[in-house]
């Protein structure tokens, strides 16, 4: 239970950082760290069009839901696909961040991570959704910047640093120096694209129809970007496309690596393209500091080895890469004065309410 003194200070210092991701949405509260990590899923009653479950519970219903319930992923390719559903999801998550308090807490100041390649319209949609969900003040930060800060990269120093943030819907590549982005690339090829690659591979190679949840599980359990010391085999359940009957087939990690190789190749080529346009002096810095992999895609086995072999620069995976963007947004709130110039549209796009 909060003391009266804690509550008094809480009235003026409730700050929240949000990683509004395609696959997961994370919430960081200043002074507490990551307090929420929920899948970006919402279950909606078809009759009333009202959300009935948000997050993990909604994801459990994915591809298993009855006809009267619709499962929605309101964030697609890193941007808002369904505004009202996103607003409801944010409202739920912001409220959940408050639920440990025994007294009402005013609307928070919020920093939200967005892909670097989004349009002004897409930025405005994120801003409006956060305001509608209860934020009194909203600031936007580009995801690669937040990921770099969360990973502990020295983005404000003169020496160059580089991050590759692979999320569910987008991959963000950025080179930093003196607190700014020197080179950036944003592509809509990431974890979801790999899941779709696996679905199509199973259809073509094994005549087996599987859903996205099964494809995601295969990616996590068998997926890799580089040959493994010990390859693995798992049974996969699905529907045979010829007979229409339930079928089980054995699938190896070699096959899953082959299935996602196209998407992995695009990500690696994007990193190469960014390095081609990076000034030689900064490339020299990167050869010392290496390339940091962040986001859930950074956990793909062998990706660092594959990228290092392709670009001839050491690659390493950030500590807890899944939470880098949320932790970076939290760092912005903790050191707001010094880091505020890293925010997007601070004067134009952010307004107090």
């Amino acid at each position: 239970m909060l003391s009266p003194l804690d509550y008094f200070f809480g009235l003026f210092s409730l700050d929240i950082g949000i990683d509004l991701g395609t696959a997961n949405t994370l919430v960081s509260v200043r002074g507490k760290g990551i307090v929420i990590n929920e899948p970006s899923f919402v279950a909606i009653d078809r009759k009333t069009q009202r959300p009935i479950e948000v997050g993990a519970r909604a994801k459990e219903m994915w591809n298993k839901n009855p006809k009267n319930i619709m499962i929605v992923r309101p964030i697609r390719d890193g941007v808002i696909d369904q505004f009202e559903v996103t607003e409801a999801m944010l409202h739920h998550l912001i409220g959940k961040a408050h639920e440990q308090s025994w007294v009402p807490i005013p609307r928070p100041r919020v920093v939200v991570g967005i892909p670097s390649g989004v349009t002004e319209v897409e930025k405005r949609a994120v801003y409006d959704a956060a305001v509608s969900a209860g934020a009194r003040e909203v600031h936007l930060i580009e995801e690669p910047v937040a990921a770099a800060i969360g990973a502990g990269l020295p983005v404000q120093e003169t020496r160059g640093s580089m991050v590759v943030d692979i999320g569910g819907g987008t991959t963000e590549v950025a080179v930093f120096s003196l607190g700014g982005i020197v080179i950036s690339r944003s592509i809509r090829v990431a974890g979801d694209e790999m899941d779709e690659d696996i679905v199509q591979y199973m259809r073509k190679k094994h005549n087996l129809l599987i859903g996205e949840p099964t494809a995601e599980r295969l990616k996590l359990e068998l997926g890799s970007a580089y040959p493994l010391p010990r390859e693995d085999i798992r049974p996969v359940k699905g529907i045979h496309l010829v007979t229409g009957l339930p079928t089980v087939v054995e699938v190896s990690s070699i096959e899953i690596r082959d299935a996602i190789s196209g998407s992995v190749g695009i990500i690696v080529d994007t990193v190469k393209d960014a390095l081609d346009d990076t000034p030689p002096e900064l490339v020299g810095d990167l050869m010392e500091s290496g390339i940091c992999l962040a986001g859930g895609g950074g956990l793909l086995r062998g990706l660092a080895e594959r990228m290092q072999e392709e670009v001839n620069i050491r690659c390493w995976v950030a500590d807890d890469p899944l939470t880098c963007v949320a932790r970076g947004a939290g760092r912005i709130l903790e050191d707001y004065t010094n880091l505020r110039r890293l925010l997007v549209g601070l004067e134009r796009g952010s307004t107090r309410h």
Side-chain angles (χ1 to χ4, degrees):
M1 183 178 292
L2 293 175
S3 68
L5 185 61
D6 288 336
Y7 172 64
F8 175 81
F9 284 110
L11 286 173
F12 303 97
S13 61
L14 184 66
D15 297 328
I16 294 177
I18 299 177
D19 175 11
L20 194 61
T22 302
N24 295 280
T25 296
L26 291 84
V27 178
S28 171
V29 174
R30 184 168 67 89
K32 295 183 178 180
I34 306 292
V35 296
I36 296 172
N37 183 351
E38 291 272 14
S40 300
F41 286 76
V42 181
I44 297 176
D45 188 302
R46 290 184 185 271
K47 183 177 293 186
T48 64
Q49 292 298 303
R50 297 184 64 179
I52 57 176
E53 293 288 353
V54 175
R57 288 278 296 169
K59 186 177 181 180
E60 288 175 4
M61 303 179 189
W62 192 23
N63 283 9
K64 299 179 181 180
N65 50 299
K67 291 183 179 180
N68 64 314
I69 297 176
M70 176 173 57
I71 306 301
V72 176
R73 300 183 67 183
I75 311 297
R76 286 287 181 181
D77 296 330
V79 297
I80 291 177
D81 183 55
Q82 299 192 34
F83 181 85
E84 291 80 8
V85 181
T86 302
E87 178 187 334
M89 183 177 73
L90 285 174
H91 192 277
H92 167 81
L93 294 173
I94 290 174
K96 193 173 179 180
H98 295 166
E99 66 185 10
Q100 293 182 351
S101 301
W102 61 278
V103 287
I105 297 179
R107 298 190 300 172
R109 178 171 64 180
V110 173
V111 172
V112 185
I114 57 171
S116 59
V118 300
T119 65
E120 291 298 323
V121 172
E122 291 166 337
K123 291 177 187 176
R124 190 72 199 184
V126 174
Y127 172 82
D128 289 343
V131 170
S132 299
R136 77 174 188 273
E137 181 181 340
V138 180
H139 300 288
L140 307 179
I141 182 172
E142 293 179 327
E143 286 179 354
V145 177
I149 294 173
L153 298 185
V155 296
Q156 299 200 82
E157 296 183 10
T158 55
R159 61 192 176 101
S161 54
M162 185 174 187
V163 68
V164 180
D165 178 26
I166 308 169
T170 61
T171 294
E172 309 285 329
V173 180
V175 178
F176 305 91
S177 180
L178 290 171
I181 295 179
V182 180
I183 296 293
S184 70
R185 298 287 186 272
S186 179
I187 58 171
R188 296 189 175 183
V189 175
D192 284 354
E193 193 74 16
M194 295 180 195
D195 294 344
E196 181 59 28
D197 290 342
I198 293 171
V199 170
Q200 295 304 320
Y201 180 90
M202 296 301 294
R203 176 188 290 268
K204 294 176 182 177
K205 181 72 179 293
H206 295 284
N207 285 323
L208 192 72
L209 179 62
I210 63 172
E212 290 181 57
T214 300
E216 182 183 39
R217 178 177 59 83
L218 286 172
K219 179 184 67 179
L220 295 175
E221 294 179 355
L222 296 177
S224 65
Y226 199 77
L228 300 174
R230 182 178 179 181
E231 304 292 351
D232 199 1
I233 297 177
R234 297 290 172 89
V236 182
K237 301 173 184 177
I239 298 175
H240 199 280
L241 291 170
V242 177
T243 65
L245 298 175
T247 305
V248 179
V249 300
E250 297 285 334
V251 178
S252 71
S253 54
I254 298 174
E255 290 182 277
I256 299 302
R257 183 163 61 248
D258 183 43
I260 64 176
S261 61
S263 293
V264 171
I266 291 173
I267 293 171
V268 172
D269 287 344
T270 302
V271 174
K272 288 181 178 179
D273 180 61
L275 288 171
D276 284 343
D277 291 338
T278 301
E281 291 78 7
L282 289 180
V283 173
D285 291 340
L286 297 179
M287 293 183 72
E288 294 183 7
S289 61
I291 299 173
C292 175
L293 302 184
L299 294 171
L300 181 67
R301 290 180 296 177
L303 181 59
E305 291 86 345
R306 164 77 182 276
M307 195 169 294
Q308 180 170 315
E309 184 177 275
E310 295 268 358
V311 303
N312 201 31
I313 294 178
R314 180 177 65 91
C315 296
W316 52 280
V317 180
D319 292 335
D320 197 6
L322 203 63
T323 66
C324 279
V325 173
R327 284 188 284 125
R331 282 278 309 280
I332 288 284
L333 293 167
E334 291 172 3
D335 194 8
Y336 187 73
T337 301
N338 292 329
L339 298 176
R340 58 182 290 167
R341 65 195 184 102
L342 297 176
L343 297 170
V344 176
L346 185 61
E347 276 70 41
R348 300 190 310 277
S350 303
T351 307
R352 289 174 173 80
H353 287 261

